[in-house]
Amino acid sequence: METAVDKYALFKRSARNASLVCIAYSLVTNAVYFASYYSSFIIDYSYYICFLLAAVFAVPVIWLFRGKHWYFPVFIAMLWIPVNLVIGFAVSGMLPEDGGETGDGLALFFFFILNLVSVACGTLIGMIANGILFFYRKLKSNDV
């Protein structure tokens, strides 16, 4: 039987993992947004990149959150928004100077929604895969 210290340590580890994954997702999605300023390839294939990011974002969720604290990936999607905004403002000096075009704000909005969808879908895919693996292991252990 687990002690209270063990439960707290597992809870703390899950919270730390969720925070680190959230920061990593924010760095990746901001890199995609910033890369769109320098390459039209990102804009042209943005939906494919969104699907690719969702698949890649599912891997850490499957790997890190298959235990007792399976619900922690929900916090990744919730924390991603403020962390993404902070990182985006912190490194916004990397962007080229504004040429007076109104498309910059629209690109920010477009990529914010696209990245939010990829983070939410990646998290959901990872949680569904963990659920399927959990029930598969249960079914396999009850098999005679």
Side-chain angles (χ1 to χ4, degrees):
M1 188 172 275
E2 293 182 31
T3 64
V5 175
D6 292 339
K7 288 181 182 181
Y8 179 72
L10 287 174
F11 187 83
K12 189 175 175 181
R13 184 184 71 192
S14 296
R16 184 188 70 233
N17 286 342
S19 300
L20 291 175
V21 168
C22 176
I23 291 170
Y25 287 1
S26 294
L27 290 172
V28 169
T29 55
N30 273 313
V32 169
Y33 169 63
F34 292 145
S36 71
Y37 273 89
Y38 300 105
S39 174
S40 64
F41 176 82
I42 304 291
I43 296 169
D44 294 339
Y45 294 100
S46 59
Y47 294 113
Y48 298 115
I49 292 171
C50 177
F51 292 134
L52 177 68
L53 286 177
V56 169
F57 289 165
V59 173
V61 173
I62 294 170
W63 185 53
L64 293 173
F65 301 103
R66 63 179 117 169
K68 192 172 204 170
H69 299 110
W70 59 268
Y71 50 89
F72 264 87
V74 173
F75 296 115
I76 293 170
M78 289 175 19
L79 289 173
W80 177 84
I81 295 171
V83 170
N84 189 43
L85 292 175
V86 167
I87 290 175
F89 284 123
V91 294
S92 63
M94 294 173 31
L95 294 177
E97 290 294 320
D98 186 18
E101 298 177 13
T102 59
D104 295 342
L106 188 58
L108 175 65
F109 182 72
F110 175 72
F111 276 100
F112 181 78
I113 296 299
L114 203 63
N115 288 333
L116 180 61
V117 167
S118 65
V119 168
C121 286
T123 303
L124 184 65
I125 290 168
M127 290 179 76
I128 290 171
N130 275 341
I132 291 170
L133 289 172
F134 172 76
F135 286 119
Y136 175 74
R137 280 188 236 115
K138 277 281 203 197
L139 185 66
K140 190 176 176 183
S141 67
N142 290 338
D143 221 3
V144 176

